Amino acid sequence: MSDAVLHITGARPNFPKAAPVVAALGGRGVEQVLVHTGQHYDDRMSEVFFRELRLPRPDINLGVGSGTQAGQTAAIMVALEEVMLERRPAMVVVYGDVNSTVAAALVAAKLMIPVAHVEAGLRSFDPSMPEEVNRVVTDRLSDVLLATSPDAIAHLAHEGVPADRIHLVGNPMIDTLLSARDRFTPDAAATLGLPDEPYAVGTLHRPGNVDDPADVAALVAAVHAVADQVRVVLPLHPRGRGRLEAAGLLDHPGVSVTDPLGYLDFMGLVDGARLVVTDSGGVQEETTVLGVPCLTLRPNTERPVTITHGTNRLVTREGLADEVAAALAAGRPQTWPVPPLWDGHAGERIADVLVAELRARG
């Protein structure tokens, strides 16, 4: 077995979480191997993040591409088993809740390689979400559980995880946001050729919003009702874009659609928005720190701390227009609470925990 730490990334949400951890471990002289599974493979969903977040180029790119939940997870597992058998790392570090995360945890556990899970303990308690299944399975297989918020620690404790395996470290995604804020694309809306007027940003791709035709039709009607009040800018994930456009999303003159954006462009767009409508987990966290009103179009969230200590609210499609009107009338807050340890130093705390674990395991 080597002394190396093997980082597994694969999809857009992983990269801003991994960047500060990789940097902090590098500063402590830890040997590292960065693997990109290729779960997201389009430049705008993947490669641009390595450039903009100053992540080192992946040592290994598996290029697995898209597929069904089972097919993609299986392909990642087969490819990662070969990597782990060859490299024999001292520890595998996984991030978040995507298919690459649970695939890596399964392979490492079967090979008796310790697993550290960054963003452990988040729960929506909605088993219909593939991400929820990934979170629960990954946490059950992990040896080191690195939590972003106190509620995550409570969930892990309730599930019987020993306290000495759980660490409250804060949110490394916020490290990335704070360190990159002065590089956000200024006036991102104008850069995208949008009119000089107030706007809302929308990010919508969850199966519960874009898979069923009836849900798609209701979502389009809700977005149009928002666009009656303020321009809506939608950087659309490839998932669901065709269905939304076929349902008439672009029939409203107040709706502007773009391709997925790089990190700096997207965060510049969010930072300049009057509000955000989303079904994404990470966006709830970013708006919490930026002070942008966030309306989450889901019945639940695995990040309730963004509601108790941020600017996030859960909304329904039926109630969205009224919630937008209220948010526009209130304006962006002057002050707002931010969760504990979301201070830009989570990567350093994670590195401290991992170094101590490596030393203890000898």
Side-chain angles (χ1 to χ4, degrees):
M1 181 172 286
S2 76
D3 295 327
V5 169
L6 192 72
H7 299 270
I8 308 299
T9 62
R12 181 183 180 118
N14 295 159
F15 308 127
K17 298 167 190 171
V21 180
V22 171
L25 285 173
R28 288 157 174 77
V30 175
E31 181 185 354
Q32 302 179 81
V33 177
L34 182 58
V35 177
H36 181 13
T37 68
Q39 179 178 333
H40 280 173
Y41 48 88
D42 182 275
D43 180 83
R44 292 161 299 189
M45 301 291 287
S46 172
E47 294 301 311
V48 67
F49 284 79
F50 288 92
R51 297 193 296 269
E52 293 186 344
L53 302 185
R54 298 168 179 167
L55 266 169
R57 300 300 307 165
D59 299 285
I60 300 168
N61 193 325
L62 301 177
V64 297
S66 58
T68 64
Q69 290 287 330
Q72 186 180 67
T73 303
I76 296 169
M77 288 182 67
V78 170
L80 282 177
E81 183 180 54
E82 183 176 341
V83 171
M84 292 186 200
L85 284 171
E86 178 184 350
R87 299 279 181 152
R88 279 289 173 181
M91 180 174 288
V92 171
V93 182
V94 298
Y95 299 86
D97 54 24
V98 300
N99 287 343
S100 297
T101 301
V102 71
L106 281 162
V107 173
K110 287 175 179 288
L111 294 176
M112 304 297 290
I113 300 170
V115 177
H117 183 199
V118 175
E119 204 178 70
L122 298 186
R123 297 290 183 268
S124 69
F125 301 100
D126 181 357
S128 71
M129 295 179 65
E131 296 88 351
E132 181 74 356
V133 176
N134 292 347
R135 291 180 204 115
V136 172
V137 173
T138 299
D139 283 342
R140 291 300 295 269
L141 297 173
S142 294
D143 302 274
V144 183
L145 297 104
L146 300 154
T148 60
S149 58
D151 58 283
I153 289 180
H155 296 152
L156 293 169
H158 180 73
E159 293 168 9
V161 178
D164 62 354
R165 289 166 52 192
I166 306 170
H167 305 270
L168 178 63
V169 292
N171 191 336
M173 178 180 281
I174 303 309
D175 294 17
T176 295
L177 183 150
L178 295 175
S179 67
R181 193 169 188 180
D182 62 355
R183 296 189 292 121
F184 290 175
T185 302
D187 202 2
T191 302
L192 294 170
L194 297 169
D196 183 15
E197 61 188 43
Y199 63 89
V201 173
T203 68
L204 302 165
H205 69 276
R206 297 281 182 186
N209 281 322
V210 303
D211 278 11
D212 181 83
D215 290 331
V216 173
L219 178 60
V220 168
V223 171
H224 286 179
V226 175
D228 288 339
Q229 305 176 61
V230 63
R231 177 167 293 280
V232 180
V233 184
L234 289 156
L236 275 186
H237 194 289
R239 191 182 201 290
R241 178 168 182 166
R243 295 189 192 96
L244 289 167
E245 292 185 349
L249 178 66
L250 299 179
D251 293 347
H252 194 296
V255 174
S256 300
V257 169
T258 76
D259 289 332
L261 301 174
Y263 183 80
L264 298 178
D265 284 345
F266 178 70
M267 293 313 306
L269 192 69
V270 168
D271 201 22
R274 294 286 299 277
L275 60 94
V276 170
V277 179
T278 190
D279 57 14
S280 164
V283 173
Q284 298 171 48
E285 297 178 331
E286 290 158 340
T287 52
T288 280
V289 171
L290 293 174
V292 180
C294 180
L295 303 177
T296 297
L297 205 57
R298 285 170 44 187
N300 50 57
T301 177
E302 65 284 353
R303 294 165 167 88
V305 72
T306 64
I307 296 174
T308 58
H309 290 71
T311 59
N312 187 28
R313 296 185 66 180
L314 296 180
V315 299
T316 63
R317 289 188 289 263
E318 296 74 19
L320 179 60
D322 288 342
E323 294 282 0
V324 167
L328 291 172
R332 287 180 54 161
Q334 296 300 306
T335 61
W336 60 95
V338 173
L341 301 186
W342 290 26
D343 57 3
H345 299 287
E348 298 161 31
R349 286 187 285 267
I350 291 169
D352 288 341
V353 171
L354 297 183
V355 167
E357 286 286 337
L358 290 169
R359 287 175 178 161
R361 293 173 185 273

